[in-house]
Amino acid sequence: MSDIQLPERLEGVEPVRSIRTFASLTYQYTPGRAASRFLKEVERKRLVGQRCPVCKKVYVPPRGSCPTDGVATEEEVELGHTGTIVSFCVVNVPFMANLMEIPYVGALIQLDGSDIPIMHLIQEVPYDEVHMGMRVEAVWVPDGEISHTLESIKYFRPNGEPDAPYDSYKENA
Amino acid sequence: MRDVAIISFAQTKHQRAVSDINEVEMLMPILGEALDGAGVKKDRVDFVCSGSSDYLAGQPFSFVMSLDAFGPWPPISESHVDMDGAWAVYEAWVKMQAGKADIALVYAYGKSSPGDIRKVLSRQLDPYYLGPLWVDPVSLAALQARVGLEAGAFSAEQMAEVAAASRRNAKANPYAQLSGDAEVAALLSEPEFVAPLRKHDCPPISDGAAVVVLAADGAARELSEHPAWIRGFDHRIEPHALGSRDLTTSVSTKQAAAKAGVGDKPVDLAELHAPFTHQELILRDALGLSDGVSINPSGGALCANPMMTAGLIRMGEAANRVTNGEASRAVAHATSGPCLQQNLVCVLEGE
């Protein structure tokens, strides 16, 4: 800055060091056919995946395509409200606007009948007892509060079944 | 230099708003169509490159999600440009020149309908001086048209003739959004929209996508009876500040055309990415195209203008016409930024 020759009237004037340019844009999001179907079914307290016609894998939430084969997944498959923990983490860091009491557990859960896991919270169990292979079930919000969002499931909790054998979820572990 | 050709092209039927399906669902059918057209399965594709902008979707990293339409598992070699897909073709071509790929797939997509496109595009301007003014692309194009009209570089009649010819040509293009017969006099009697531009001087707002498959050397000869060989390829950019440019001409197009060898041999056909009528006139001049050259037989960007895609479509349309024998030497052009700031020129030839 010192090398710049300023006209006399700007001598000693505080230089501009930053400006703020505020911008706000509004968008209308199109989830698409597959995600719309999934969310509509969540509203009816159902979890629905889609099967790839080539590799037969069932994806949830469905995106309308198979990432392996790049083909449309049109066959719908209703999934259980139970599943298996294939991985988990114990969160000890409070996030902004986080309503959870720490530590809490976030887990990848492979729903029965599907081939890829979804992510959700694990509750009603001490965090240090959560483990891979643990069988869990969805706990939904009260029926009157269910809407087209995965927040309609409050969390998953152990359902008391014996652990799933490793082979049943090893592809996602 | 390796011989690289466009061997397949597919595009969506462009529409004002595709509101029932997302980008992946929009892309998937034409990705399949382009691969079928090339006669290959996706496992033979060595490199995938895409062009799109997250500002259109309003979602960060939306282009990563679009890969689900191709299928990136097991992992693939991939890249992306936040530009028109024509520049993704350039990246793929460089990769192929380096011997890193024999078959490449390039796709581009743009849905303008989720947001207010004139506001969204104002975000590409510098954040200090123009961004805070929210100058939109139609106003910037109008400033350019005014300069050209006042300088006598072109006339309002010539601009209307471009619009009429584009729509007439688009009658034979099933993917176009606008087409029909329009009299120049009738167009000129329309009120001004953003003066001196009338509506017919401006592109439609479009949602759409396109895909090309490229192949090098033996792979191109194996897969295509009539590959559209890329014989010249270059792109150039001008400064960001509009005041420092001569808006009546396109110096960057002239330079790219010279580097690509446009004038070395006669040109039969040109697909020009001119979203505004006066820009086609500027480009014809900058490329040195004679009166006999068929300009935008597809109808051009004035008849369907999916953002980040309309330039790639020009390459595909030109390549198709080389492949089917309609042209033996064609020029494809793509532009990016306000008032033809950046320009890409590609020369395509038959055997």
Side-chain angles (χ1 to χ4, degrees):
Chain A
M1 292 294 282
S2 58
D3 294 340
I4 296 173
Q5 281 278 313
L6 290 171
E8 204 171 311
R9 62 193 167 82
L10 290 180
E11 295 285 351
V13 173
E14 191 186 350
V16 176
R17 297 194 190 280
S18 70
I19 66 164
R20 283 187 173 197
T21 304
F22 293 99
S24 169
L25 295 166
T26 304
Y27 292 91
Q28 182 145 2
Y29 174 62
T30 302
R33 283 189 192 129
S36 295
R37 285 281 300 153
F38 174 78
L39 294 170
K40 276 290 179 197
E41 293 294 344
V42 167
E43 206 168 28
R44 297 170 58 199
K45 212 171 174 174
R46 295 173 70 212
L47 296 169
V48 174
Q50 288 184 346
R51 190 190 311 276
C52 171
V54 179
C55 70
K56 307 296 179 193
K57 278 191 175 173
V58 174
Y59 295 98
V60 63
R63 300 254 307 137
S65 71
C66 172
T68 301
D69 297 296
V71 296
T73 50
E74 277 151 7
E75 184 196 341
E76 291 201 334
V77 182
E78 181 157 11
L79 308 170
H81 294 192
T82 51
T84 302
I85 292 177
V86 302
S87 186
F88 66 97
C89 64
V90 181
V91 182
N92 282 295
V93 185
F95 291 102
M96 210 164 32
N98 198 334
L99 303 170
M100 301 297 299
E101 194 180 314
I102 55 171
Y104 66 90
V105 178
L108 289 173
I109 301 152
Q110 188 176 328
L111 293 171
D112 293 345
S114 78
D115 290 291
I116 61 162
I118 61 166
M119 192 160 182
H120 222 298
L121 295 167
I122 304 296
Q123 298 272 277
E124 295 190 33
V125 56
Y127 70 88
D128 55 358
E129 289 178 20
V130 175
H131 55 272
M132 285 165 66
M134 189 178 224
R135 297 282 298 155
V136 291
E137 65 186 10
V139 178
W140 293 72
V141 299
D143 282 356
E145 294 171 26
I146 290 178
S147 71
H148 52 277
T149 162
L150 265 182
E151 283 181 316
S152 293
I153 295 175
K154 281 202 289 191
Y155 51 78
F156 283 76
R157 68 182 173 203
N159 69 351
E161 288 176 14
D163 286 356
Y166 180 68
D167 278 353
S168 69
Y169 62 88
K170 69 176 178 193
E171 245 191 275
N172 290 312
Chain B
M1 296 286 274
R2 292 183 85 196
D3 286 338
V4 173
I6 295 176
I7 61 163
S8 181
F9 170 55
Q11 62 182 315
T12 56
K13 194 171 171 355
H14 310 295
Q15 301 167 48
R16 171 62 184 87
V18 175
S19 51
D20 59 331
I21 54 175
N22 62 28
E23 285 82 347
V24 167
E25 291 164 335
M26 188 167 78
L27 276 164
M28 222 177 337
I30 59 166
L31 280 164
E33 198 185 319
L35 288 170
D36 287 350
V40 291
K41 301 278 181 219
K42 72 173 200 116
D43 58 5
R44 274 199 72 183
V45 175
D46 304 309
F47 181 57
V48 174
C49 199
S50 60
S52 69
S53 172
D54 286 353
Y55 273 81
L56 295 172
Q59 279 185 289
F61 293 96
S62 60
F63 67 91
V64 177
M65 288 187 272
S66 78
L67 280 172
D68 276 358
F70 178 80
W73 187 265
I76 60 170
S77 172
E78 180 270 345
S79 187
H80 174 263
V81 296
D82 235 81
M83 302 184 72
D84 190 287
W87 275 267
V89 172
Y90 192 87
E91 180 173 339
W93 179 77
V94 170
K95 190 108 172 167
M96 295 168 98
Q97 291 305 330
K100 302 290 185 190
D102 290 327
I103 298 176
L105 180 141
V106 173
Y107 67 86
Y109 64 95
K111 280 176 78 172
S112 294
S113 61
D116 178 340
I117 187 64
R118 288 174 69 180
K119 277 190 177 172
V120 169
L121 286 178
S122 77
R123 298 302 87 200
Q124 72 184 318
L125 302 169
D126 82 81
Y128 308 108
Y129 305 116
L130 288 175
L133 302 179
W134 292 85
V135 193
D136 73 280
V138 180
S139 300
L140 291 169
L143 290 169
Q144 181 181 36
R146 176 81 71 195
V147 172
L149 287 167
E150 295 291 326
F154 43 78
S155 67
E157 287 74 21
Q158 286 177 302
M159 289 164 64
E161 279 163 14
V162 168
S166 297
R167 291 189 193 181
R168 194 165 54 241
N169 289 348
K171 284 163 69 180
N173 178 358
Y175 304 99
Q177 196 178 336
L178 290 181
S179 63
D181 293 304
E183 295 295 327
V184 169
L187 291 176
L188 286 172
S189 68
E190 294 287 321
E192 287 172 329
F193 173 51
V194 178
L197 300 179
R198 295 179 172 81
K199 280 258 169 93
H200 66 251
D201 293 310
C202 306
I205 298 173
S206 314
D207 285 0
V211 184
V212 301
V213 178
L214 302 164
D217 297 333
R221 291 186 177 87
E222 170 208 332
L223 297 168
S224 173
E225 280 183 43
H226 302 287
W229 298 105
I230 294 174
R231 296 297 186 206
F233 214 168
D234 199 70
H235 64 93
R236 302 275 145 170
I237 192 165
E238 299 181 25
H240 208 71
L242 290 161
S244 61
R245 294 169 49 193
D246 178 355
L247 297 178
T248 64
T249 181
S250 179
V251 179
S252 50
T253 301
K254 277 182 194 163
Q255 288 180 345
K259 288 281 178 187
V262 169
D264 294 354
K265 278 185 272 180
V267 172
D268 304 318
L269 180 156
E271 279 284 339
L272 308 180
H273 182 194
F276 295 89
T277 52
H278 65 278
Q279 294 178 344
E280 182 183 307
L281 297 166
I282 292 171
L283 290 168
R284 271 153 55 174
D285 185 56
L287 289 161
L289 300 176
S290 61
D291 287 345
V293 178
S294 167
I295 306 286
N296 284 349
S298 69
L302 285 163
C303 296
N305 189 37
M307 298 306 304
M308 307 299 168
T309 310
L312 180 64
I313 293 171
R314 305 282 75 74
M315 301 186 86
E317 292 281 4
N320 270 0
R321 285 168 174 81
V322 168
T323 294
N324 70 18
E326 207 176 303
S328 57
R329 191 160 188 266
V331 170
H333 159 270
T335 196
S336 179
C339 303
L340 301 172
Q341 186 192 2
Q342 187 167 10
N343 294 283
L344 173 148
V345 175
C346 179
V347 176
L348 294 159
E349 292 179 8
E351 291 296 350

